[in-house]
Amino acid sequence: MTQAHRIRAARALFQNPTPLRRDCGTLCDAACCRPDEDGKGGMFLFPGEEALYDPCPGWASICNSRVSVRGRALRFLTCDGRCPRGDRPLACRIFPLSPYATAAGVNVDMDVRAWPVCPLMPSGMGGLAKEFVLAARAAAELLWEDADCQAYIRALTEQMRAYKRFL
């Protein structure tokens, strides 16, 4: 399976499952869907995912981040807060979860970067819909089979550990 096929398959796992059995955006006025005051914010694109935004749609911009994996800067997508649901990046689809590298491979956990914007964080994994958590795990396992995505998840895990030291 190619990298692009893995990304599409991982994204397809989220056609129906959402963090709650209702629209969680009504709890926070879709805070995770808006750029910050400086027009920044957004989501990292998984390796190979940028190809799905070529050409870049009018509702988004893509730029290099300061984070690099395997010598390549990660790409970052910022939207205007009104993207077509079916075009959301994978990181948006799995939010507030994130894949984490473990000694045994990969798993998912609450994304520590979500604390400032997501009211679901205090409830932890137990507060999320089971189908959503299972889809996130399946997506992480699918991506783990790709060397670039595995390197990305390892780098992301290190970044999360660094954030946790400041919490």
Side-chain angles (χ1 to χ4, degrees), residues 24-78:
C24 63
T26 60
L27 297 175
C28 62
D29 194 26
C32 60
C33 293
R34 288 188 306 241
D36 62 18
E37 311 78 52
D38 298 327
K40 298 189 174 138
M43 295 291 187
F44 285 114
L45 296 174
F46 281 80
E49 193 172 18
E50 183 180 0
L52 300 178
Y53 298 101
D54 186 22
C56 188
W59 51 266
S61 62
I62 298 175
C63 62
N64 283 338
S65 72
R66 288 182 240 148
V67 179
S68 65
V69 173
R70 297 177 79 162
R72 293 177 58 204
L74 292 178
R75 304 291 280 163
F76 199 71
L77 182 141
T78 301

Side-chain angles (χ1 to χ4, degrees), residues 45-119:
L45 296 174
F46 281 80
E49 193 172 18
E50 183 180 0
L52 300 178
Y53 298 101
D54 186 22
C56 188
W59 51 266
S61 62
I62 298 175
C63 62
N64 283 338
S65 72
R66 288 182 240 148
V67 179
S68 65
V69 173
R70 297 177 79 162
R72 293 177 58 204
L74 292 178
R75 304 291 280 163
F76 199 71
L77 182 141
T78 301
C79 75
D80 64 8
R82 297 179 303 260
C83 72
R85 186 166 177 80
D87 293 338
R88 293 173 300 147
L90 183 56
C92 290
R93 294 169 194 234
I94 65 175
F95 190 82
L97 297 178
S98 180
Y100 280 84
T102 68
V106 68
N107 203 344
V108 294
D109 202 354
M110 300 301 284
D111 187 332
V112 297
R113 299 168 299 175
W115 276 105
V117 296
C118 185

Side-chain angles (χ1 to χ4, degrees), residues 111-131:
D111 187 332
V112 297
R113 299 168 299 175
W115 276 105
V117 296
C118 185
L120 303 180
M121 294 301 288
S123 299
M125 299 273 284
L128 301 177
K130 183 179 179 179
E131 302 80 20

